[in-house]
Amino acid sequence: MAQTQEKESQTPNAPTTVDMKDIVSLCKRRGFVFPASEIYGGINGFWDYGPLGTELKNNIRDLWWKAMVVTPPIGPDGQPLQIVGVDSAIIQNPRCWEASGHIDGFNDPMLDCKETQKRYRADHVFVLIPRNGEGPSLAFDKDAEDDEVAQRLKKLARGRPKSDYNRTTLDKLPFEAFVNIIGPDTKTPGTLTKPRQFNMMISTGGLSVTGGEETKSYLRPETCAGIFLNFKNVVDSSRVKVPFGIAQIGKMFRNEVTPRNFIFRTREFEGMELEWFCHKDEAPMWFEFWFEQRKKWWQSVGLDMTRLHYLEVPDGDRAHYSQRTIDIEYRFPFSGEGYDELEGLAHRGNFDLTQHQAFSGTKLEYMDPVTNERYLPDVIEPSLGLTRALLTLLCDAYTVDPGRPSGMYMNFHPSVAPKKAAILPLTAKEDHVPLATKLYMDLREHYAVDLDIKQNIGKRYARQDEIGTPFCFTIDDQTRADQTVTVRHRNTMRQERIGMDHVAAYIAAEMKKIS
Ligand code: ATP
């Protein structure tokens, strides 16, 4: 029996050479992700998940939930950690968002170009300023490729080299400097407006949230608030003791100024957040602990760890409540030579409980049953976008391989793959189909598997390669004689024979392997 989940034919650092266009088109063609409201012309920043995308998303969600809540990690004392889950309302009392700082402070600096009417986020526009102060400065979209930069320098600055310029972002410059800046999509300086703060919460009107007059409420911009609001309920109703965690997975909404890069930055998305409550003296230790756990998890779902980068977010760039933040970043196809945020790990101190206690007037202190110390615990928070995790695994899996009919395959780890296996009768001959159907009926009790009877075998393999099915089990003439089937491995296309009654155990073993 083959023991490896092969990666031999994978091109190293494939995502940097894979075009986002190809990923988006595969997602549409094979039913991973569709533009929302497509038949009405779409709606900017919203996406729908198709049959395979939904399976993939559910798998990632379930693997995270299992790693956090069902079988939480073993702690430093050798015992499993205590982590429980909640599922809180998307709309909460608006006072909650006053306390959390979202009403006053959840803003992005937004500006427009007077000439093109295009809108930008100031911290997502970088500016090249001539070191000698001569000539205009040039602004670029954060994701501008090197050749675009070179081309514009050629056209607008007579080919002056990039090394003649200092680089900064627009939000760091005073408005007076804007007169000399050529916007990302224009040829003349001075068209960019002054950045203004734009609140990113999406509000609902016409809701009588507190039973009285209709007031404005908000769709939650993060799931963690619902955890803090239930901190006392959880402590009072379950047997958890600090240190412990509360996890939540659910929809979040942010009125992003510039939704972009497919499902990377959207206005509606799903988040998976853990709030780990601990004593402040132990918080630095738990921060390290969770950092290691998150890396282990990414490895367990098959991510190529060499494409990750860990950014220790410096003072001044962190959220005001954060004492320490590490961004786990990934090299997406649109990241150029840099990286973009995949997941955040933050030490939030006890900011949230302090605020909600003050604004609600409800005591949220925890009393240590051993020492009788009363305190508001500190919080370590790993926060990951489920849909961003899905995009990351899509980009990571997309592997160009001109040597096969599909020209590519999706190198999903068996644990995340939407289909774990395909059962393929070699031909539609009478004795192949019943045997295949029997195997399918046995396996479908345990795994998401496909039974695919139609078309020639090459086309069926190609389809499974495109949707990232790790194994194809093929039933042929020999199957009836000796009850064996061939296993075709997606990555290497290598084939071997195994007993039909070993197929379920075979898949089970492959799902657990860490590559
Ligand atoms: P940014 O500064 O890039 O807007 P952020 O740092 O405010 O984002 P967090 O509040 O830390 O983002 O969000 C936690 C996680 O949620 C991110 O690491 C990412 O995985 C995901 N996420 C955040 N915003 C979006 C979005 N608009 N679309 C999809 N996923 C998102």
Side-chain angles (χ1 to χ4, degrees), residues 93-356:
N93 187 308
R95 289 274 288 159
C96 158
W97 308 115
E98 282 173 44
S100 66
H102 283 88
I103 287 182
D104 287 337
F106 194 50
N107 299 322
D108 270 345
M110 174 183 89
L111 70 146
D112 298 299
C113 174
K114 285 181 277 189
E115 192 181 304
T116 63
Q117 320 310 328
K118 284 206 176 183
R119 178 157 285 182
Y120 308 97
R121 211 174 113 172
D123 56 332
H124 284 180
V125 174
F126 73 85
V127 187
L128 297 181
I129 306 172
R131 285 180 199 276
N132 64 4
E134 286 170 19
S137 304
L138 263 67
F140 296 87
D141 186 282
K142 176 175 161 284
D143 298 326
E145 305 275 351
D146 274 357
D147 51 344
E148 187 197 328
V149 174
Q151 266 183 18
R152 287 190 76 215
L153 281 171
K154 207 163 145 194
K155 268 200 205 137
L156 301 170
R158 291 198 217 93
R160 243 167 121 173
K162 219 164 75 178
S163 53
D164 271 14
Y165 291 83
N166 285 323
R167 184 181 159 131
T168 185
T169 48
L170 207 53
D171 59 319
K172 306 248 162 60
L173 292 171
F175 183 53
E176 294 75 64
F178 283 30
V179 285
N180 199 33
I181 298 174
I182 304 180
D185 301 286
T186 52
K187 294 188 184 112
T188 43
T191 62
L192 299 177
T193 64
K194 192 173 182 173
R196 53 202 183 279
Q197 292 301 328
F198 173 77
N199 192 285
M200 288 169 66
M201 282 205 293
I202 297 180
S203 60
T204 67
L207 262 183
S208 167
V209 277
T210 47
E213 250 176 64
E214 286 182 359
T215 43
K216 191 156 141 186
S217 189
Y218 302 90
L219 303 180
R220 67 181 175 198
E222 58 179 28
T223 61
C224 61
I227 293 180
F228 297 122
L229 265 50
N230 283 296
F231 172 74
K232 198 170 154 25
N233 283 336
V234 171
V235 171
D236 291 349
S237 63
S238 49
R239 304 170 73 191
V240 290
K241 294 195 173 51
V242 171
F244 74 94
I246 306 180
Q248 170 153 232
I249 298 179
K251 292 262 184 179
M252 303 152 70
F253 302 83
R254 296 182 182 182
N255 197 359
E256 295 284 355
V257 175
T258 48
R260 58 170 65 218
N261 292 329
F262 192 33
I263 55 170
F264 178 79
R265 186 176 297 285
T266 54
R267 289 178 165 148
E268 173 176 340
F269 57 101
E270 271 168 273
M272 310 196 283
E273 295 187 301
L274 169 74
E275 307 306 311
W276 178 254
F277 298 95
C278 59
H279 192 280
K280 69 174 184 333
D281 295 346
E282 291 190 341
M285 180 276 283
W286 285 116
F287 189 96
E288 297 297 338
F289 178 90
W290 280 110
F291 184 38
E292 288 311 308
Q293 289 302 321
R294 294 310 302 142
K295 286 191 271 187
K296 274 192 196 158
W297 186 81
W298 281 112
Q299 199 170 13
S300 75
V301 296
L303 194 74
D304 182 342
M305 301 298 281
T306 65
R307 293 169 186 157
L308 286 182
H309 175 254
Y310 310 110
L311 174 74
E312 181 80 52
V313 182
D315 287 354
D317 286 352
R318 287 194 301 268
H320 62 93
Y321 52 75
S322 170
Q323 302 183 14
R324 186 178 175 195
T325 298
I326 291 182
D327 284 348
I328 301 181
E329 303 181 313
Y330 180 80
R331 178 159 292 171
F332 292 92
F334 45 79
S335 305
E337 282 169 25
Y339 298 87
D340 282 285
E341 178 177 333
L342 163 57
E343 169 165 10
L345 177 66
H347 175 194
R348 299 177 75 112
N350 63 9
F351 168 80
D352 304 86
L353 291 179
T354 304
Q355 288 293 104
H356 291 302

